[in-house]
Amino acid sequence: MEYRLDNNTNKHHADCRFKRHIKQRISIRRQNKRVVFKTGELNLEKSSSETPFRLIPDIISKFIDARWRWSLIFCILVYILIWFLFASIWWLILYLHGDLREENLPSANNGTIWNPCIREIYSFTSIFLFSIEIHTTIGYGKRAITLECPSAMLTMCIEGIAGHFTQALIIAIVFAKLTRPKNRAQSLIFSKSAIINQRDTHLCLIFRVGNIRKSRIIASKVNAYLIQYESNSDDDIIVNNEQINLRVKVDACDDILFLNPISVVHRIDSDSPFYNMSAQDMLNSNLEIVVVFEGVIESTGQTVQAISSYTSQEIMWGRRFSQLIHFQKNKQGYVKDFSKFDEMCRVNTPLCRAKELDDYFENRKRLSSVLT
């Protein structure tokens, strides 16, 4: 009995700790509001007060972006709907012509000669099968249109055109889903955090971009943009419409040879918006850095784009990324260890503003020139 009481008590404390942990995670997520999630999805929605004037939605784009199961269900339903639609039209034509009367059916042996619109039609099932044959251009030799009904000839032409159009539409959707660059963008990864350290005499903001596939990305370029937030009297966060373009380079190079994971560097100089920000100012600021990687897939020639972002809480001051490429003797080649992609180590970095650091080195330079 005592064991049960202790067990229930421990379970109750564990549940309380779990609930507190969930509340802390939710509160942290609410505090760290961002425009772009780490997955590249945009945290933007239309206002509810906006009146939707668009009557015809972009169905093709929606099914291209949808999951495979919904796209396949959409393709199957489109085919079945067209078959039933034209089967109903065929049934109406035959009904008005009198081909569906019992005395005019091919199975009737009344000795009369009847010229039907379509041969070998017995019921709606055979009409549906004939609609499939017309739509898919499959002919078995028995059911065929005669010259009795001009409306049947016109319907056959319309269904044939609709069949080719539907087939082209379905093939386009499937091909677009198979070759869309969005799937390739999932293999492009960004470091979870950006870092700030000192390179030579300047503070630099650095983040990593890696390609986890063997296929190359050519004609690559990286852009970074600064988005700042403002709070009003109601504690609502307002995004500043002005986006500041951050000048970035890849390891002090202008051209990117994207063979290995690259480090994208933004030098904090007099033209940088972080020039007058110290480590404490950076931590307390409401900002977000949106990074965009663009390139061309070598195998398909399509453009791929990957997006991520870093908030002020995800910028680590005084860190350096660990080395992740090493030579392995048993393979006689270089190995990229992506398990160390986000690893960092501490380095001595001034916590002051970049302007103060530049003034320090400038004064030191002047002093050395005077002494010499």
Side-chain angles (χ1 to χ4, degrees):
M1 189 67 182
E2 292 179 358
Y3 172 77
R4 290 184 180 179
L5 181 61
D6 293 339
N7 190 16
N8 293 332
T9 304
N10 294 333
K11 185 177 179 181
H12 175 71
H13 290 319
D15 292 339
C16 292
R17 287 194 300 269
F18 177 75
K19 290 179 180 179
R20 285 196 301 268
H21 176 67
I22 294 298
K23 289 181 180 179
Q24 290 176 358
R25 290 184 59 184
I26 294 174
S27 62
I28 293 174
R29 186 176 180 180
R30 288 176 179 174
Q31 291 174 3
N32 298 334
K33 293 181 174 65
R34 59 203 310 159
V35 176
V36 180
F37 292 112
K38 302 296 286 186
T39 57
E41 298 178 0
L42 300 180
N43 189 20
L44 298 174
E45 295 182 1
K46 292 183 179 180
S47 176
S48 58
S49 59
E50 183 179 355
T51 304
F53 292 101
R54 192 171 183 177
L55 299 179
I56 301 176
D58 193 357
I59 300 177
I60 305 301
S61 299
K62 291 206 178 278
F63 279 99
I64 290 176
D65 295 333
R67 294 181 179 272
W68 268 105
R69 56 176 178 266
W70 299 115
S71 298
L72 294 177
I73 291 174
F74 165 74
C75 297
I76 295 172
L77 290 179
V78 166
Y79 275 116
I80 294 176
L81 180 63
I82 292 178
W83 293 339
F84 269 105
L85 176 62
F86 280 96
S88 302
I89 297 175
W90 287 116
W91 181 88
L92 180 62
I93 294 173
L94 299 181
Y95 178 80
L96 295 176
H97 188 258
D99 294 349
L100 299 179
R101 297 176 184 174
E102 293 183 2
E103 61 272 15
N104 296 331
L105 293 176
S107 58
N109 297 321
N110 51 9
T112 60
I113 299 176
W114 177 259
N115 292 324
C117 294
I118 305 174
R119 298 190 185 98
E120 298 297 326
I121 292 297
Y122 300 91
S123 61
F124 185 81
T125 304
S126 56
I127 294 174
F128 180 74
L129 183 58
F130 179 74
S131 177
I132 297 176
E133 293 174 3
I134 294 293
H135 188 271
T136 57
T137 65
I138 298 175
Y140 294 106
K142 292 185 178 180
R143 281 170 293 275
I145 296 179
T146 64
L147 300 178
E148 186 69 20
C149 302
S151 59
M153 302 178 194
L154 179 62
T155 305
M156 181 190 67
C157 295
I158 295 175
E159 186 171 3
I161 295 172
H164 289 295
F165 179 77
T166 306
Q167 187 175 4
L169 177 65
I170 299 303
I171 292 175
I173 291 176
V174 174
F175 181 78
K177 287 184 69 67
L178 290 174
T179 60
R180 60 178 179 169
K182 186 176 181 181
N183 296 330
R184 185 63 177 87
Q186 296 177 357
S187 61
L188 299 173
I189 57 175
F190 296 87
S191 57
K192 293 182 180 179
S193 302
I195 61 174
I196 292 180
N197 57 32
Q198 182 180 349
R199 288 192 171 189
D200 296 332
T201 60
H202 297 279
L203 293 178
C204 297
L205 185 143
I206 308 169
F207 60 90
R208 265 181 175 175
V209 184
N211 179 20
I212 61 177
R213 288 190 186 179
K214 291 185 178 180
S215 59
R216 289 183 57 199
I217 303 293
I218 59 177
S220 306
K221 64 178 181 179
V222 183
N223 295 319
Y225 306 92
L226 174 63
I227 300 177
Q228 294 179 329
Y229 304 103
E230 298 177 358
S231 300
N232 57 13
S233 58
D234 298 331
D235 292 335
D236 292 333
I237 296 178
I238 301 174
V239 179
N240 193 349
N241 293 328
E242 183 181 0
Q243 299 178 5
I244 302 175
N245 189 5
L246 303 178
R247 292 186 302 176
V248 295
K249 287 187 176 182
V250 178
D251 290 327
C253 298
D254 293 329
D255 298 328
I256 301 177
L257 185 60
F258 198 31
L259 298 177
N260 300 318
I262 57 176
S263 296
V264 183
V265 182
H266 166 68
R267 177 182 288 185
I268 305 178
D269 52 14
S270 58
D271 296 329
S272 174
F274 309 121
Y275 191 59
N276 290 315
M277 296 180 66
S278 63
Q280 187 65 31
D281 297 334
M282 180 73 71
L283 183 62
N284 296 331
S285 61
N286 292 324
L287 57 87
E288 180 177 353
I289 300 174
V290 178
V291 294
V292 182
F293 177 89
E294 293 180 354
V296 178
I297 305 174
E298 186 181 25
S299 57
T300 62
Q302 290 184 325
T303 303
V304 61
Q305 185 183 83
I307 306 176
S308 185
S309 68
Y310 300 98
T311 60
S312 57
Q313 289 80 15
E314 295 170 346
I315 300 176
M316 303 298 174
W317 199 289
R319 299 291 193 278
R320 183 180 63 190
F321 287 118
S322 301
Q323 187 69 23
L324 53 84
I325 300 176
H326 62 278
F327 185 82
Q328 197 166 359
K329 292 183 179 179
N330 56 354
K331 293 185 177 181
Q332 290 298 313
Y334 290 93
V335 177
K336 293 180 286 187
D337 188 3
F338 280 97
S339 63
K340 299 181 179 180
F341 187 77
D342 296 312
E343 279 191 8
M344 298 176 291
C345 58
R346 291 180 177 272
V347 291
N348 293 327
T349 303
L351 301 179
C352 62
R353 297 179 176 88
K355 183 179 184 304
E356 298 176 356
L357 187 63
D358 289 347
D359 293 340
Y360 168 77
F361 283 107
E362 185 67 24
N363 294 332
R364 185 178 177 180
K365 184 178 180 180
R366 291 176 182 176
L367 181 61
S368 61
S369 61
V370 170
L371 293 178
T372 56

